[in-house]
Amino acid sequence: MPELPEVETVRAGLNKLLPGRIVADVWHNWPKSFPNAPADVARFLVGAKVLAVNRRAKVLIINLSGGYSLVVHLKMTGQLVFQAKNRRFGAGHPSDDLVAKLPVKSTHVIIDFTDGSKLFFNDQRKFGWMRLLPTDHLSDIDFFKKVGPEPLDDNFTVSKFIERLMRRPGSNIKSALLDQTVLAGVGNIYADEALFAAKIHPATLVADINRRKLTTLHSELRAILRTAIASGGSTDRNYVDAEGKKGSYLSFAQVFRREGQPCPRCGTTIIKIRVAGRGTHICPRCQKEPKTK
DNA sequence: CACTTGACCTGTCCGC
DNA sequence: TGCGGACAGGTCAAGT
């Protein structure tokens, strides 16, 4: 579910809400959602103060005093939602107000702060996780060692993009974009949108795409990610930000989840196909099928 | 080695 | 209305 823009939206929200708060207690009901709790929780989490909330790729890093960080991956259906003190007891909340209803059926971890506010980790499909890890050693973890560059960094140039993609010359471009070791944070929605914008068929082999097209793909991908962040991300089903609000980017999406509708560029009907084992949305006219396949 | 498939889970939607 | 099957935004491990 959450890709870079969604995780970044959650990060920005939490970074306004959490720093300065002190953990009072932690509850959890699904061991896989929090594999090293409760053993390390009492020792390193309770009493710790939140310093800052950072992001790398699709992973959130909540820095705590005491040298530990809470590292969170939302995977497909994870939510990290903050509830201010007494929020749940207020009257007149609209029925779609998630925060007022917390905890919900899919709540697997609750972090209580000393001021009475709470952070809820909800995850319908239970693929997501949070772990308490020593901050100084995060860079030793396999994931952080292997993950590719942030596509929105200033120094993520066209040459860098092409160099990274060329690590997988023989794979199709969609797989390469989704590969987190090639570059960080791109998932199914933004891969489809960027390939449509650059008029590249997702099954095209990386080595068969010319430099001009890759240059377009680079700039379109970055523009799409930035617009998505500005829209608060994409809510297809479950995604909400730190305050329980949905993102609106899908109203701008050109092809994702728009099969059966006319291509906004040429009017041809958008179709859904399968590439790299994932549902993939294309305009069959704008994105010509590669000859070699 | 590089790519594909299955597994991890629950909920929803679609066809019979 | 009920039931089976396919499918869902992500990543691993295991298989080819």
Side-chain angles (χ1 to χ4, degrees), chain A residues 120-189:
Chain A
F120 294 79
F121 179 54
N122 308 328
D123 188 12
Q124 187 176 96
R125 288 174 75 178
K126 299 179 176 173
F127 289 172
W129 47 259
M130 55 172 63
R131 286 188 177 81
L132 194 61
L133 298 168
T135 304
D136 285 349
H137 297 287
L138 291 183
S139 54
D140 299 341
I141 291 158
D142 250 21
F143 173 84
F144 292 109
K145 277 196 285 195
K146 289 196 281 190
V147 72
E150 290 289 328
L152 292 180
D153 274 2
D154 287 343
N155 61 7
F156 189 69
T157 57
V158 173
S159 338
K160 183 97 172 174
F161 179 56
I162 294 175
E163 173 212 312
R164 299 299 295 187
L165 287 176
M166 288 310 285
R167 293 158 63 104
R168 302 200 39 186
S171 80
N172 63 66
I173 183 66
K174 176 145 181 182
S175 296
L177 289 175
L178 294 177
D179 183 341
Q180 299 298 296
T181 69
V182 171
L183 70 161
V186 178
N188 211 31
I189 297 175

Side-chain angles (χ1 to χ4, degrees), chain A residues 83-104:
Chain A
Q83 183 188 64
K85 186 186 180 185
N86 293 334
R87 181 73 167 74
R88 62 176 303 194
F89 301 115
H93 291 298
S95 61
D96 65 345
D97 188 339
L98 170 65
V99 177
K101 287 189 236 167
L102 291 167
V104 292

Side-chain angles (χ1 to χ4, degrees), chain A residues 48 52-53 57 61 73 90 103 120 132 145 176 178 190 197 200 208 213-214:
Chain A
V53 184
I61 304 160
H73 201 308
F120 294 79
L132 194 61
K145 277 196 285 195
L178 294 177
Y190 302 107
I200 299 170
D208 291 344
K213 284 239 169 183
L214 290 177

Side-chain angles (χ1 to χ4, degrees), chain A residues 72-89:
Chain A
V72 186
H73 201 308
L74 301 173
K75 289 286 181 85
M76 303 275 262
T77 55
Q79 305 173 331
L80 216 41
V81 187
F82 179 80
Q83 183 188 64
K85 186 186 180 185
N86 293 334
R87 181 73 167 74
R88 62 176 303 194
F89 301 115

Side-chain angles (χ1 to χ4, degrees), chain A residues 30-43:
Chain A
W30 182 252
K32 286 182 183 175
S33 295
F34 202 163
N36 61 354
D40 294 343
V41 165
R43 287 174 66 201

Side-chain angles (χ1 to χ4, degrees), chain A residues 2-16 53-61 74 150 152-153 185 190 225-226 228-230 232-233 239-242:
Chain A
E3 308 180 26
L4 188 153
E6 291 73 34
V7 180
E8 176 57 25
T9 302
V10 173
R11 183 210 66 76
L14 291 178
N15 199 45
K16 283 185 185 162
V53 184
N54 297 305
R55 178 189 62 79
R56 178 76 171 96
K58 298 174 191 172
V59 174
L60 286 160
I61 304 160
L74 301 173
E150 290 289 328
L152 292 180
D153 274 2
Y190 302 107
L225 292 174
R226 278 193 289 260
I229 292 170
Y239 167 73
V240 293
D241 69 11

